[in-house]
Structures are given as C-alpha cells and as structure tokens.
Amino acid sequence: MKKKKRLTVGLKYSGIAGLLLIIAFVLSACSAGSGGGGSEEQGLAELYLSELTLKEKIDIMGGGRLDWSDPSDMFSTLGNERLGIPGIIFADGPRGVRRHNRQSETSTTFPVSMARAATWDVNLEERIGEIMGIETRASGYHNLLAPTINQVMHPRHGRVQETYGEDTYLLGEFGAAFVKGVQKKPTEGYTVMACVKHFAANNIEDTRFSVDARVDERSLREVYLPHFKKVIDEANVASIMGAYNKVNGYHACENYQLLTKILKNEWGFNGFVVSDWFGNRSTIDSAVSGLDIEMPSSEGANGYWGPTLLTAIENNDVPEENIDESVLRILTKQIEFGTFDHSTSIDGSKIETQEHINMTKEAARNGIVLLKNDSILPLDRDAISNIVVVGEFADSARLGDNASSNSIPSYAISPYDGIKNLAGNSITVSTFSTVTGSENEVSNADVVVVVCAYADTEEGEGVFSQDRVSMTLPADELQVLNDAAALNSNVIVILESGGAITMNNWIDNVKGIIMAWYPGMEGGTALGELIFGDINFSGKLPQSFPVSENDLPPFDNTSATVTYSYYHGYRYLEKNGITPLFPFGYGLSYTTYAYSNLQITENTISKTGTLSVNVDVENTGGRNGEEIVQLYVGYANTGISDSIGRPVKELKAFDRVSLEAGEKKTVTLTVNALDLAYYNTATSQWEIETMNYEVYTGPSSKLSDLLTGAFTVTN
Ligand code: BGC
C-alpha cells in the first residue's frame, strides 16, 4: 500500500467543489466492482484522504452506537457526509443474510456451511455465495460478514456449524468459492464485499474473548492460516475479521505478527481488517498493529478508538501514517466495489425468490450424509403403511443457532413435514415429541424415524449458546432414541448438529443413520426425498466421526491458555493409528462405486510442476448417483525429524462426478507440487521435499478403500 500522497486541486476550481469535479471525472473512468483493486481506485481514495481532517479519518475507521434497541447502528461505519463517503453497512452470514435490524424481514436460509461442505461441491458453493451477495445488496448492506473458515479443531466447538470442516484444503476451496460468488459484480448496483473470519485460531466459544491460543510457527503456517491465504489469493476477498481470542500472547486485533507481518506484508492483502464486534482491546496497540476498522466504535460505543484514538495521534502515540494507510485501504475497497456511486436500497423482490429457495434444497439434498443403512433405506412406499416421526425437534426445523449467523426464513420444512409431504396418500405419518405416551404408535409403526438434534442453546456461538458439553447426544434426545429402539426394530435416526456425534452406546440398536446437520429451510423436503429414494444420497463427511471423544485430543474450553497442535481430525487419528467410527470423506449412497486404473501421468514432477492423476470410477449399482472422488498425498518418506514430522496423508484434490447406473468415467485430479510444501522454521521459508510421495485416490480417507500410487518431486 502506497503512503498518502496529497493531491492538490489546482484547476479552475479549488476545495471541495474541485475535488468533487475530479472525483466525478475519475469515477466515470473507473469500473466499480471486484477484481484487482486497480490504481485508479487507489488514486481516487488518496484524493479523498487528502481532504479529510484527522477526526474525519477516524470516523471512517469505525462507527456504531451501543444501542441494542436499534442494532443497525452497531453495524455501520460512520463514513463522511461532507464528502459524500458512505458508511460501510455490514450484515452477518453465513447461512443466509441476517437482517439484524429488520428481524421481522426474512431471507433465504441455507443449510449451514458444514452441510454445504458435505456436498464437496465448490461450484454450488459459489452459486450460493452469489445468492447471498444478491440478498445482501437487496437488503441494503454493503458487506457480508462471511464466510467463517476456522477449522473444526474439535467437534465440541460451538461454531463448527458455521464452517466447512476440519481440513485446511477443503476450507480454503470452499471459502474461496463462497467469496467469488458473493463478490460477483452485478449488472446493477454496488458489488457486495465479503469478510472472511475469524482471523485466526478461533476455535473455542466458551473462552473466546480471552483465551490465548498458543500455536507453534509450523502449525500456524501449515494448519491455521493457509485457507485464509487461499481466499485472498484466489478470491481477492475485500475484508477480513480479526478474532476475539489471543494468538501467542496478543489479541488477534492487536497482533502485529498476524495482521501486518503475515497478512499485509507477506501475503500482500490489499483489503481492510475489521475487528470482531467488541473485539478490539486497545487504542494504540491495535492501531499500530494493522487493525483498520474497530466495530462498534465512536462516541457512546465504548470502543477504544473514536476520540481516544484522536488523542493518541495528537500525543504522537500512534503515527498518522498508520491511520492514513487504514483509511486508504477502506476507501479503495469502497470505491472498487462501487459503494460511492450506488446508494443502498431494499428490494424485497430479490430476496427469498423461488430460485434462491431451490438452491437451498439442492444444497440440502447433496450435503445430507447417509452414515448407516442396514437394508432399511430407501423406504418402499408400496411396502409401508405407517411411519412415526418422533423427537423434540421432529416437527420443528432446526436451522442452527440463534446468534450472529441467525438468518430467518419465512418458512422452514421440518423433518416430519418433509416425510409426510413425500410419503404419498397410502402411508400414514404421525409425529410425537417423545415416546412416552405414544408407546403403542411407536411399537406398531412400520418404521420409526427418530429426530435427534441439538438445541440452539446446546451448540452455538457464545453469549447466546456455548460449546457442546460432550460429543454424545444430549440426554433427552438419547432418551427418545433409546425408548424408540426398545419398542421397534425399524428405527432410522436423523441427526441434526454442526459437529460430529459419538454413537457407541446406540449405533447397533438402529438400522439407519442420517447426518442432516442443520439442513436449511427446505431441509425437511430433502430428507423426505432421500428417505423415499426419490433422489440418491451423495454427501460425504467434512469431519471425522471418532468412536469416542477420548480418541481425539482434549477440548479445553476453560483454561486461559491452550496449545493448538499440528494434528487434529483425520490427520491426528491416522498419526496415532486410531480407527474412526466414520472416516473423513465418508458417506453411503443407494448405489455402489468401483475405483480402478489409477494412472499418474508423470511419475516425476519438478518443484513447480503439477501432478495429474486419472482414475476410473464406475457406478456399479442400480441407481444414478453422484460420487465424491478424493485424492490424498502421503509423506511416508519425509526427512523431517522434528517433533511434528509430517502427517500420514492429506487431502489435496477432489471432484464431484455424476454417474448414471452402470456408467464409468475417467476422473482427472491435479495437485501442484507447491501444495506439498512444509514451513521450515529454521529458514522461515516454505520448502518442498524432494522425495517419493504416495498418492491415494478413492471414496473416503479410509486407507483400505483407496487406490495407491507414487510419484517423485525433484529439484
Ligand atoms: C461474531 C462475528 C459476527 C459479529 C457481528 C460476533 O460476536 O463472532 O462472527 O460477525 O459478532 O455480529
């Protein structure tokens, strides 16, 4: 970012009038929208900067009032009326647009990000991002506070529903796809900015405001940061949100190492950093460390900036250059995204359209995962006359928690509604909230569907909710399941949560298990279609399901300091030789697929080369389906002998392919050698080991299901 360059308006006009004239001229030459942050936009931003007083600059860097009765005020920077600079108006995501200041108004509510990750369909995610961009603009907001890409370090983390799973590669692919969609330039109006969050190492709710996440350099570089970099490199995200927690002793919003050294200097991020709400903890430290916007801030909002920052600059505690750089970053993005020349307005006709709602259904259909099927599914409409759907949430649609990601649809289909609507006239479908009192109906049913969900208070964002207290089902949900299984041998369980659930005390008592996550406003419909086999299952797990919580590293949501390690999820399980209940990447369908003929086109590639792998995938069953083909790379020959070493294998590519019954396709997957690099802490460089690597391709991360090959990277 260039330093401030004062531009003098030395034409026939001077002062503001001259400035505006030039602005009008430059604006007409600029094309607003995403993609690049061109020099015209920065030149224009510099011009504005040169006209702003110090107080006005600080107003650009924050805003909002602490007035809970009108939360819109907490979500807008002040801008500058004198020069016609609009404030940036933020809205939350990522399961839909949270119309926080108009709660009575609704928006399209998608399956949570975890369910979308289970589709492994980045094209779908980009289309979903685009819809959220359209609805953000149509709701009068400039910036969507999404995606969330903190990985599932542990399934008990309350906010895992908002993110895309445990794997850094998958997170980066999904985050970038979503941002590309949100920031797609529209034919009319401003382009919506995305804000990727929460930077960084934000993986615990209960202590989120204060916990110090200690992360060694290799783990930070290889595990906790690469997906953020990918969203910057591949999607040019406009903004990034600093997390609440500390990272290695410094709050994320005053963390020079993270915000300035890595994000801005090393990665060349050209957008702005906004604090998580009430996440800035200092006046001077944050201003000199790389935070650009404090939210909420200014008079009355208890912020650390506003008038206090003005005094700090006047006292020479904060160089004005830092302020100028922040203002320049903010204004450049605002100009680039067209917020100066398009005002906000509400257009209800673009919100919750049928097309948007259909997309929620597509995501639910493709992201719901079939975990167990002892010949009970799909249900045969001709062979069944009576279904009971039971559970506290059987007839209420669980959409996720009620905190910042709480987008509210105008309607939502519950599992019971969906099953009943799809059952046809010859089947009676009834629902009960518990088995107690409905024992006869439960025991006489042909099939009992038990819906076991987490309440919004049991799994979700802190303040309104919490980290989960355990990985087992909540006691009341478990009770219903056990009661139903004691009375009927044809039980199918629908699970609704963001994080993995352990099942060792009940899995053998039921015939079918469906992981629905929080499946969105049309989730019930998708469940009905899947259960009756009108469509096939295709979702696969973006996180590992362990047999027991003891199989995972401990989840510490009480200590003031925690150490985040290099290994979690499948990388941890494999490194420690622990077999999961359901592995990362796993999911059943109503057909079968066979993998054969793994071919590595070049057995040796250079450090800048690309590996290309072909594999034949055949639908060997009787139904059409979509298969998620996965490629992992293994490091058995690593020469790294530090205490971390290298994982057994890591996901490096995937594809979703559609195959009719009997159809065979050759799928090509590619891996850049650069993606195999590790971070050498002695040289502070990314290095690629020249050695033989294993390549694994197949339907999940389970080693015995994968075809194996090898390739070499040379200098
Ligand atoms: C959450 C953010 C959210 C912000 C604004 C915070 O509590 O952590 O994810 O964007 O509130 O609602």
Side-chain angles (χ1 to χ4, degrees):
M1 180 77 46
K2 278 195 265 166
K3 286 236 183 92
K4 173 185 134 180
K5 198 168 54 179
R6 186 161 181 105
L7 300 187
T8 354
V9 182
L11 304 173
K12 199 165 148 198
Y13 301 90
S14 62
I16 303 300
L19 174 67
L20 292 177
L21 231 175
I22 293 179
I23 289 166
F25 169 76
V26 181
L27 269 180
S28 64
C30 291
S31 61
S34 62
S39 57
E40 293 101 338
E41 287 93 346
Q42 192 174 322
L44 185 53
E46 284 171 353
L47 192 61
Y48 273 101
L49 179 68
S50 69
E51 290 299 319
L52 290 165
T53 65
L54 187 55
K55 154 114 186 33
E56 288 173 330
K57 290 178 191 172
I58 291 166
D59 287 348
I60 304 275
M61 296 167 66
R65 286 189 288 127
L66 239 194
D67 178 359
W68 294 98
S69 63
D70 181 4
S72 62
D73 281 335
M74 288 203 322
F75 283 85
S76 177
T77 60
L78 291 176
N80 183 288
E81 240 179 87
R82 183 174 70 87
L83 297 182
I85 300 173
I88 302 173
I89 314 173
F90 298 90
D92 267 305
R95 72 175 191 242
V97 181
R98 175 169 163 249
R99 303 179 74 184
H100 49 78
N101 50 345
R102 288 181 291 278
Q103 293 268 345
S104 57
E105 293 166 31
T106 57
S107 57
T108 303
T109 301
F110 287 88
V112 292
S113 306
M114 185 62 68
R116 300 188 329 246
T119 68
W120 296 61
D121 187 341
V122 284
N123 297 323
L124 178 62
E125 188 62 9
E126 186 172 333
R127 284 189 284 145
I128 289 172
E130 189 178 345
I131 290 171
M132 282 198 218
I134 290 168
E135 295 203 4
T136 302
R137 183 171 42 254
S139 308
Y141 307 117
H142 295 119
N143 186 304
L144 182 65
L145 299 170
T148 304
I149 60 168
N150 302 107
Q151 61 265 74
V152 183
M153 278 273 293
H154 196 288
R156 279 177 50 201
H157 176 208
R159 287 185 87 169
V160 298
Q161 59 190 276
E162 286 183 54
T163 186
Y164 299 113
E166 71 188 32
D167 183 78
T168 301
Y169 178 78
L170 192 66
L171 280 157
E173 292 292 301
F174 265 79
F178 181 83
V179 171
K180 280 183 204 161
V182 172
Q183 296 190 170
K184 192 161 173 197
K185 192 179 176 210
T187 45
E188 270 173 32
Y190 55 87
T191 306
V192 170
M193 306 176 201
C195 181
V196 64
K197 63 191 187 185
H198 308 83
F199 194 66
N202 179 258
N203 308 78
I204 299 170
E205 273 317 277
D206 291 1
T207 50
R208 65 176 176 165
F209 294 124
S210 54
V211 67
D212 183 10
R214 297 273 163 175
V215 199
D216 67 273
E217 184 75 359
R218 250 196 89 192
S219 302
L220 187 67
R221 298 288 187 156
E222 293 182 36
V223 180
Y224 297 90
L225 299 185
H227 38 303
F228 285 97
K229 182 168 189 298
K230 185 173 273 183
V231 174
I232 292 165
D233 288 349
E234 295 187 7
N236 198 22
V237 69
S239 53
I240 189 164
M241 185 189 287
Y244 287 131
N245 51 282
K246 294 179 191 156
V247 181
N248 292 332
Y250 300 94
H251 274 290
C253 290
E254 55 188 48
N255 196 310
Y256 184 84
Q257 155 94 355
L258 279 182
L259 302 185
T260 297
K261 190 168 170 289
I262 297 178
L263 177 69
K264 293 182 174 176
N265 294 352
E266 278 182 36
W267 296 355
F269 173 62
N270 63 17
F272 57 85
V273 182
V274 56
S275 71
D276 197 344
W277 267 238
F278 309 99
N280 181 23
R281 308 301 164 77
S282 58
T283 303
I284 299 170
D285 290 354
S286 57
V288 299
S289 295
L291 184 69
D292 300 307
I293 293 181
E294 178 195 54
M295 286 306 290
S297 191
S298 81
E299 281 112 312
N302 248 359
Y304 283 90
W305 284 8
T308 321
L309 181 56
L310 183 67
T311 309
I313 300 162
E314 284 166 352
N315 291 343
N316 292 325
D317 289 333
V318 173
E320 195 170 343
E321 271 180 18
N322 288 62
I323 303 306
D324 287 350
E325 174 174 337
S326 290
V327 174
L328 206 49
R329 283 173 176 272
I330 298 161
L331 296 184
T332 303
K333 282 295 156 192
Q334 283 192 271
I335 295 166
E336 194 185 318
F337 280 70
T339 54
F340 276 53
D341 41 3
H342 300 281
S343 59
T344 57
S345 57
I346 314 278
D347 180 356
S349 72
K350 297 207 167 100
I351 298 168
E352 270 195 315
T353 64
Q354 196 53 50
E355 187 197 340
H356 296 185
I357 291 172
N358 288 346
M359 198 68 83
T360 71
K361 213 186 295 181
E362 188 177 336
R365 286 170 172 157
N366 294 351
I368 293 175
V369 184
L370 180 60
L371 295 177
K372 173 172 177 173
N373 186 12
D374 269 358
S375 310
I376 191 165
L377 288 163
L379 297 184
D380 179 352
R381 288 187 178 92
D382 296 332
I384 285 176
S385 58
N386 172 5
I387 300 175
V388 164
V389 187
V390 67
E392 184 188 353
F393 298 105
D395 193 21
S396 70
R398 288 289 298 110
L399 300 171
D401 74 6
N402 279 340
S404 66
S405 68
N406 185 18
S407 122
I408 302 170
S410 55
Y411 73 91
I413 307 290
S414 71
Y416 165 66
D417 281 336
I419 293 169
K420 185 173 50 108
N421 295 344
L422 272 294
N425 295 334
S426 61
I427 305 178
T428 309
V429 185
S430 40
T431 186
F432 306 96
S433 56
T434 64
V435 174
T436 314
S438 53
E439 287 87 351
N440 284 345
E441 290 84 348
V442 169
S443 53
N444 293 335
D446 292 328
V447 171
V448 180
V449 178
V450 184
V451 178
C452 295
Y454 276 80
D456 55 50
T457 48
E458 291 167 334
E459 180 188 64
E461 181 182 340
V463 181
F464 301 94
S465 188
Q466 59 177 333
D467 292 318
R468 271 165 50 180
V469 295
S470 97
M471 281 190 68
T472 60
L473 281 172
D476 47 350
E477 303 296 291
L478 194 55
Q479 185 70 51
V480 179
L481 191 161
N482 287 337
D483 290 350
L487 292 173
N488 197 307
S489 57
N490 286 329
V491 169
I492 298 167
V493 178
I494 294 176
L495 298 170
E496 294 182 321
S497 73
I501 294 168
T502 52
M503 322 176 178
N504 40 1
N505 49 358
W506 56 264
I507 187 167
D508 295 334
N509 305 335
V510 302
K511 286 199 175 150
I513 304 174
I514 296 169
M515 185 67 207
W517 317 104
Y518 299 116
M521 63 191 291
E522 280 284 352
T525 307
L527 280 164
E529 294 168 334
L530 289 162
I531 284 173
F532 288 106
D534 301 338
I535 54 171
N536 201 348
F537 280 94
S538 57
K540 296 211 181 185
L541 297 177
Q543 47 178 309
S544 315
F545 277 47
V547 174
S548 141
E549 188 174 339
N550 295 333
D551 291 345
L552 299 183
F555 181 61
D556 182 354
N557 56 345
T558 55
S559 301
T561 300
V562 294
T563 301
Y564 281 10
S565 89
Y566 187 80
Y567 292 104
H568 66 272
Y570 70 90
R571 290 157 68 265
Y572 175 89
L573 294 167
E574 292 180 356
K575 193 77 178 171
N576 292 286
I578 302 168
T579 306
L581 180 62
F582 300 114
F584 176 80
Y586 170 88
L588 299 171
S589 84
Y590 294 143
T591 188
T592 46
Y593 302 99
Y595 285 72
S596 62
N597 200 21
L598 173 67
Q599 287 190 338
I600 298 173
T601 43
E602 280 181 85
N603 288 316
T604 300
I605 57 169
S606 75
K607 285 184 176 176
T608 53
T610 300
L611 180 79
S612 186
V613 172
N614 294 328
V615 63
D616 291 347
V617 187
E618 183 176 2
N619 182 340
T620 49
R623 278 171 175 264
N624 300 345
E626 293 193 7
E627 167 68 333
I628 294 150
V629 182
Q630 299 159 46
L631 185 151
Y632 298 82
V633 170
Y635 309 95
N637 300 309
T638 180
I640 299 175
S641 55
D642 66 9
S643 57
I644 292 176
R646 297 203 84 173
V648 174
K649 64 180 190 314
E650 286 178 315
L651 182 73
K652 292 295 174 194
F654 59 87
D655 196 9
R656 189 180 168 100
V657 279
S658 125
L659 292 161
E660 289 182 7
E663 192 183 4
K664 187 197 253 186
K665 278 186 185 159
T666 301
V667 178
T668 303
L669 298 166
T670 57
V671 182
N672 292 327
L674 287 173
D675 284 345
L676 308 176
Y678 76 99
Y679 192 78
N680 186 334
T681 49
T683 60
S684 300
Q685 296 292 328
W686 287 93
E687 285 177 17
I688 302 169
E689 290 190 90
T690 51
M691 63 173 189
N692 291 334
Y693 294 81
E694 303 84 55
V695 62
Y696 303 96
T697 309
S700 81
S701 62
K702 187 176 172 195
L703 202 54
S704 56
D705 287 348
L706 295 164
L707 299 178
T708 55
F711 65 98
T712 307
V713 177
T714 56
N715 274 318

